[in-house]
Amino acid sequence: MKIRIATTADIDEITRVEIDSKLQSFPQLVEACDINFDTRAYRWETWFAGQSPVSARPERIMFKVVDNSKIIGYLAIQLTTRFDMDAEIQSFFVLKEYQRKGVGCRLLKSAVNWTIANHVQSLCVGILPANPYRAFYLKYSGRYLNEHWIVWDDVNLLKALIC
Ligand SMILES: CC(C)(COP(=O)(O)OP(=O)(O)OC[C@H]1O[C@@H](n2cnc3c(N)ncnc32)[C@H](O)[C@@H]1OP(=O)(O)O)[C@@H](O)C(=O)NCCC(=O)NCCS
C-alpha cells in the first residue's frame, strides 16, 4: 500500500470510495444526498478548485491510499477559519475491508505532517454524534468542542501519539 497525493483525476474513484465506505460503515446514518454520486463528485470538484467549504483557506491536500492500483482510502484536509482552528479534516474514509489495519492511522500521520509543514498547530474534524467511528479520533486524544466537532489544540502532541 502506498500513500500518494490525490488530484482531480481521482475524483470518480474517491467519490466511489466515499459512498461505498459510508454504506459499509454506518448505513443507518446515511441519507440519500450523502450517497448521490453526481452530488458528491461535484463537491470534490469544488473542493479541489478551492471553492468549498466556505470556511476554508486555499491551502489543501488530499492523501489517497493505493493498493494494487486501486484507491482504498483517502483523507482530505485544508487550512480553515472555522472555530479559530488552523486546519480541518474535510473527509476521511477507508473501505470497510481495509479498516482496522492501520491505514487510517497512516493517513492521519500524513495529514498531521502536512499541518506541521504548513506551520499551523490546531486541527478540527466534524463527525455525526451517532457515528461509532468517533472512537478513532478519541483514541488519538481528540477532545469534543461540541457534539459535532472534535479538536486537537496541538498537532505536535497528536503526532507523538500516532503510528
Ligand atoms: C475512521 C477510519 C478512517 C479509521 O481508519 P482505519 O484504517 O480503520 O483506522 P486504524 O486501523 O488506523 O485504527 C487505529 C485505531 O483506531 C481505533 N478505531 C478505529 N476504528 C474504530 C472503531 N470502529 N471502533 C473503535 N475503535 C476504532 C482503534 O483503536 C484502532 O486500533 P486497533 O485496530 O489496533 O484497535 C475508518 O474506520 C473509516 O473509514 N470509517 C468510516 C468513515 C468514518 O467514520 N470516517 C470518520 C468520520 S469523518
Side-chain angles (χ1 to χ4, degrees):
M1 279 185 214
K2 309 264 186 218
I3 296 187
R4 299 279 184 254
I5 295 173
T7 70
T8 51
D10 298 310
I11 285 177
D12 281 3
E13 208 177 343
I14 289 292
T15 303
R16 183 47 60 201
V17 169
E18 176 185 5
I19 291 172
D20 287 351
S21 179
K22 282 176 182 170
L23 289 171
Q24 296 160 351
S25 306
F26 42 77
Q28 73 282 8
L29 301 178
V30 171
E31 296 182 15
C33 59
D34 299 327
I35 52 169
N36 181 286
F37 186 92
D38 291 343
T39 303
R40 298 312 307 164
Y42 178 68
R43 185 68 198 270
W44 285 120
E45 283 170 25
T46 62
W47 184 85
F48 275 106
Q51 296 162 349
S52 72
V54 289
S55 56
R57 290 164 55 193
E59 299 90 345
R60 61 196 59 213
I61 194 166
M62 182 191 281
F63 296 100
K64 62 180 179 180
V65 183
V66 180
D67 184 39
N68 288 325
S69 305
K70 182 182 147 205
I71 298 175
I72 58 94
Y74 71 89
L75 185 157
I77 183 171
Q78 69 266 350
L79 299 191
T80 189
T81 59
R82 202 190 289 279
F83 302 128
D84 286 331
M85 290 275 141
D86 296 321
E88 175 183 347
I89 295 174
Q90 177 65 29
S91 183
F92 187 12
F93 285 93
V94 173
L95 293 175
K96 181 87 176 171
E97 66 188 289
Y98 292 90
Q99 291 175 11
R100 303 300 289 265
K101 300 178 195 300
V103 174
C105 187
R106 288 180 59 197
L107 281 166
L108 183 62
K109 187 176 191 175
S110 297
V112 165
N113 286 337
W114 179 82
T115 58
I116 292 170
N118 276 275
H119 310 291
V120 299
Q121 199 168 7
S122 56
L123 174 66
C124 62
V125 64
I127 186 162
L128 291 172
N131 184 338
Y133 290 87
R134 62 189 181 278
F136 175 87
Y137 297 129
L138 298 176
K139 168 170 181 166
Y140 296 111
S141 293
R143 71 171 171 86
Y144 274 102
L145 186 66
N146 58 47
E147 66 173 343
H148 292 275
W149 289 89
I150 292 176
V151 302
W152 294 263
D153 296 310
D154 187 346
V155 287
N156 292 287
L157 297 178
L158 170 57
K159 181 174 175 163
L161 297 176
I162 52 187
C163 45

